[in-house]
Amino acid sequence: MMRFEIMKVFSKTANKIALMILAVVLGITIYLAIGYVNYVDEYGHSSSGYTAAHELREKKNQWAGYIAEEKISAMLEENARINASEEYRSNDVRENEKAYSKKQGFEDIRDMVNHAFSSFREYDYYRADRVTGEEAGTMYQRRISNLEEWLNSEEVSDRYTPEEKDFLITKYKELDTPLYYEYADGWKALLEYASTIMMLTVLILGFLVSGIFSNEFQLKTDAVFFSSKLGRNKGVLSKIGAGFLIVTGMYWIVMMTYSGIMLLVLGADGAGCAIQTGMGGWKSFNNITYFEEYLLTVVGGYIGSLFMLSLSMFVSARFRSTVIAVTIPFILLFLPSFLSGISVLSEFLGLLPDQLLQIKMAVNYFNLYQIGGKIVGAIPIIMVLYLILICVLYPAMYHVYRKTEIK
């Protein structure tokens, strides 16, 4: 019966079109994500994709290793040498691009210095140009002192409790330094577009599963279904199982296809590098690697997708309406964006299910919560919370649909 329910879903013309749209969207997103990696050659010409990744890997891995004081000092010296060149000082953009091409190998390290020597809430692209060799050894300490200064400022004086401030500072101090560095742009590009893929997948899968329960009423077959011998038990379970398998199967097919192509084209190097070696992760208090962030992303995305689409199926079973059910993913994904400008709601918004599809952003947010005297970030809370809600939804779905009255 479950196989029959799955065949019913995929046999509908509208659902076939939805799957075709999903395939096209996946292809377009992969194309854009691959183009995320950019390389400028010695002549100032820009390229992207596989060739760019190959060239950039070679450049960046010349600086691979632990980013200790000696490497930072060497980067500052090389940066100053390039800044003194005629190409860098030229008013010709093409000449400037030639100078920039020589900085690509240590660009990530330079960004780390820019962050460390700017204030916590600012980023000065040219700050590294003014950092001296004597200051190189203070980079990691400045990361901590910048946080302390920000936490003690009036800007956040009432936002965090003393315990939460101590928690953040402790997490910063726990980061294992000096950080190890190598080319990791394949992971950066993959993570950058992962949330886009997951959101689009949820929206399109919503069209597939929203009618699993309500279609019996729209097709006027509900009387036959519920009066049959197995309709109110095995029949209901088959619908629930079909929805679960469709969501699970399609999610992992899409994500594994996306991940496999991205890492095959751009490379899987740098999986063990801390996310703090990248510009977006420098301020994060989560001391994890790119591979660990990827695992959080795909597992969190699966939990979030399963919850949203299971809720859509529950609404379909409860209200017998495909239209209402299909709007659930849209509401859960886009309503938080309209409320994001309200600062007092930041902690509440950090616990909504859309955050599971945006782990890359959640990893960098400073949303903290106290549970039983213990301070934790949002990610472990939302993962456990929505796993529990999923476990509640399926029995509720079974009970609601099984008790449906035939009119």
Side-chain angles (χ1 to χ4, degrees):
M1 293 179 70
M2 189 183 302
R3 182 168 174 265
F4 174 69
E5 291 292 342
I6 294 174
M7 290 176 62
K8 280 170 61 178
V9 171
F10 288 110
S11 63
K12 292 181 64 176
T13 302
N15 290 345
K16 290 179 180 179
I17 294 174
L19 289 175
M20 291 175 61
I21 293 173
L22 178 59
V24 171
V25 166
L26 176 61
I28 293 173
T29 307
I30 289 175
Y31 175 79
L32 294 174
I34 290 175
Y36 179 82
V37 176
N38 185 268
Y39 174 75
V40 179
D41 63 23
E42 59 186 15
Y43 302 106
H45 299 132
S46 180
S47 63
S48 60
Y50 174 79
T51 303
H54 176 77
E55 296 292 342
L56 199 58
R57 180 190 294 111
E58 184 178 339
K59 291 281 187 182
K60 289 192 173 185
N61 281 344
Q62 291 176 5
W63 292 84
Y66 290 95
I67 310 175
E69 182 176 356
E70 296 78 11
K71 191 176 291 292
I72 298 171
S73 296
M75 184 278 295
L76 292 173
E77 291 177 7
E78 181 64 12
N79 183 67
R81 186 189 68 79
I82 296 171
N83 287 351
S85 67
E86 293 183 4
E87 295 168 329
Y88 183 83
R89 295 176 178 275
S90 173
N91 293 323
D92 188 328
V93 176
R94 178 56 60 81
E95 293 298 309
N96 295 156
E97 288 293 292
K98 292 178 182 179
Y100 169 76
S101 71
K102 299 175 182 178
K103 293 187 177 185
Q104 291 173 108
F106 58 79
E107 182 181 13
D108 294 325
I109 303 174
R110 188 176 184 279
D111 283 335
M112 293 171 64
V113 172
N114 286 334
H115 274 296
F117 288 87
S118 301
S119 62
F120 189 80
R121 296 280 286 176
E122 296 178 356
Y123 175 79
D124 182 354
Y125 179 80
Y126 299 101
R127 185 64 181 88
D129 298 343
R130 304 189 299 274
V131 176
T132 64
E134 290 73 20
E135 296 175 305
T138 66
M139 185 179 76
Y140 298 113
Q141 182 55 45
R142 282 180 177 270
R143 178 175 180 267
I144 298 171
S145 62
N146 284 344
L147 173 67
E148 292 174 332
E149 182 179 341
W150 178 66
L151 290 174
N152 291 324
S153 67
E154 292 187 3
E155 179 184 353
V156 292
S157 58
D158 300 325
R159 180 175 175 182
Y160 300 106
T161 65
E163 293 77 17
E164 290 173 336
K165 292 179 180 180
D166 289 340
F167 171 82
L168 289 172
I169 293 171
T170 299
K171 296 295 289 184
Y172 261 47
K173 290 180 178 179
E174 288 177 352
L175 180 65
D176 189 14
T177 58
L179 298 173
Y180 180 81
Y181 170 78
E182 64 177 315
Y183 168 87
D185 288 55
W187 292 101
K188 294 177 187 177
L190 188 159
L191 292 166
E192 186 69 28
Y193 284 84
S195 61
T196 301
I197 284 288
M198 288 187 285
M199 288 182 180
L200 291 170
T201 300
V202 167
L203 293 177
I204 292 174
L205 290 184
F207 286 95
L208 272 66
V209 302
S210 60
I212 289 178
F213 293 96
S214 57
N215 280 348
E216 299 295 343
F217 301 97
Q218 294 173 354
L219 298 174
K220 308 299 182 182
T221 58
D222 52 308
V224 176
F225 180 86
F226 288 109
S227 62
S228 63
K229 180 180 180 180
L230 301 176
R232 291 188 180 272
N233 42 66
K234 191 174 180 180
V236 177
L237 289 175
S238 297
K239 287 182 176 293
I240 293 173
F244 175 81
L245 289 178
I246 289 171
V247 172
T248 299
M250 291 304 302
Y251 174 85
W252 288 110
I253 288 173
V254 170
M255 289 309 299
M256 291 302 99
T257 300
Y258 169 69
S259 302
I261 294 175
M262 288 294 296
L263 295 177
L264 183 65
V265 175
L266 300 180
D269 316 51
C273 291
I275 61 173
Q276 284 78 9
T277 58
M279 185 172 181
W282 173 255
K283 296 178 185 178
S284 177
F285 67 84
N286 293 284
N287 301 325
I288 56 177
T289 64
Y290 283 116
F291 181 68
E292 289 168 339
E293 184 179 9
Y294 169 74
L295 291 179
L296 285 175
T297 298
V298 294
V299 173
Y302 173 62
I303 295 172
S305 300
L306 188 58
F307 170 76
M308 292 183 189
L309 294 171
S310 297
L311 183 59
S312 180
M313 289 190 291
F314 174 79
V315 170
S316 175
R318 175 64 180 82
F319 297 102
R320 310 178 186 182
S321 171
T322 302
V323 175
I324 296 176
V326 82
T327 62
I328 297 301
F330 286 90
I331 294 171
L332 293 177
L333 287 175
F334 297 116
L335 181 60
S337 64
F338 289 103
L339 302 175
S340 60
I342 306 175
S343 59
V344 294
L345 296 178
S346 60
E347 291 188 2
F348 168 72
L349 295 176
L351 295 178
L352 294 182
D354 69 300
Q355 295 299 301
L356 286 165
L357 275 64
Q358 303 179 75
I359 291 292
K360 179 176 173 58
M361 295 175 62
V363 161
N364 296 321
Y365 285 163
F366 277 44
N367 289 327
L368 301 177
Y369 306 87
Q370 293 194 39
I371 302 177
K374 185 177 181 180
I375 299 172
V376 295
I379 294 176
I381 295 176
I382 57 179
M383 283 192 168
V384 174
L385 172 62
Y386 289 103
L387 271 176
I388 294 173
L389 290 177
I390 288 169
C391 293
V392 172
L393 270 176
Y394 280 94
M397 202 184 305
Y398 176 77
H399 176 76
V400 165
Y401 203 64
R402 185 171 180 269
K403 297 296 182 180
T404 298
E405 295 184 4
I406 303 174
K407 298 181 180 179

